[in-house]
Amino acid sequence: MGVWIPLFTALLLNAAANVLMKVGARTEVAVPEEASLLAKALAFMNAATIIGFVLFAINVLVYRRALDRLDVSLAYPIMVSGGMIIVALAAALLPVLNERVSMMRIAGMVVTAAGVWIVARS
């Protein structure tokens, strides 16, 4: 189990970073088009976006640690598919995002999860 902890930690960090980036995009303060570049950058860099950047950076370090013990051909599919499922569920459940998860998306997640399970078992 110890070999999987860095990978699952990286997966959760990556998913949280993606959700925070979306929250940051949703909560960005609008600035006039003629505003200075600095004003636009400050509006873009809200707290959720900054925390998302930090989580992405930590994710890269933890994922690198996971690759010390796992093949990238195994770790990467788990990262991508697991992240997709976590992000889709969080986006549907968090009121600030309130995204709709259709039956087709759910079916796609099930097929993807099945494929990753096959990869992980081999």
Side-chain angles (χ1 to χ4, degrees):
M1 184 62 182
V3 70
W4 296 101
I5 291 172
L7 182 64
F8 291 124
T9 302
L11 188 157
L12 292 173
L13 287 165
N14 186 281
N18 276 284
V19 170
L20 283 167
M21 293 301 230
K22 182 62 177 182
V23 170
R26 281 277 174 103
T27 58
E28 183 178 339
V29 176
V31 293
E33 206 166 301
E34 63 274 358
S36 70
L37 182 59
L38 179 60
K40 290 178 181 178
L42 289 174
F44 180 82
M45 295 299 291
N46 56 34
T49 301
I50 292 169
I51 295 168
F53 283 156
V54 170
L55 291 182
F56 272 131
I58 296 168
N59 155 66
V60 169
L61 297 173
V62 176
Y63 182 61
R64 165 58 180 81
R65 180 59 58 203
L67 292 177
D68 284 346
R69 300 181 194 165
L70 296 169
D71 293 340
V72 71
S73 61
L74 172 64
Y76 186 71
I78 292 171
M79 277 287 290
V80 173
S81 63
M84 175 193 66
I85 292 168
I86 292 168
V87 169
L89 293 174
L93 297 173
L94 290 174
V96 69
L97 300 181
N98 197 29
E99 292 188 12
R100 187 175 163 271
V101 178
S102 68
M103 288 307 291
M104 285 297 275
R105 286 186 187 179
I106 292 170
M109 285 186 258
V110 168
V111 169
T112 301
V116 169
W117 181 79
I118 291 169
V119 168
R121 302 281 301 170
S122 61

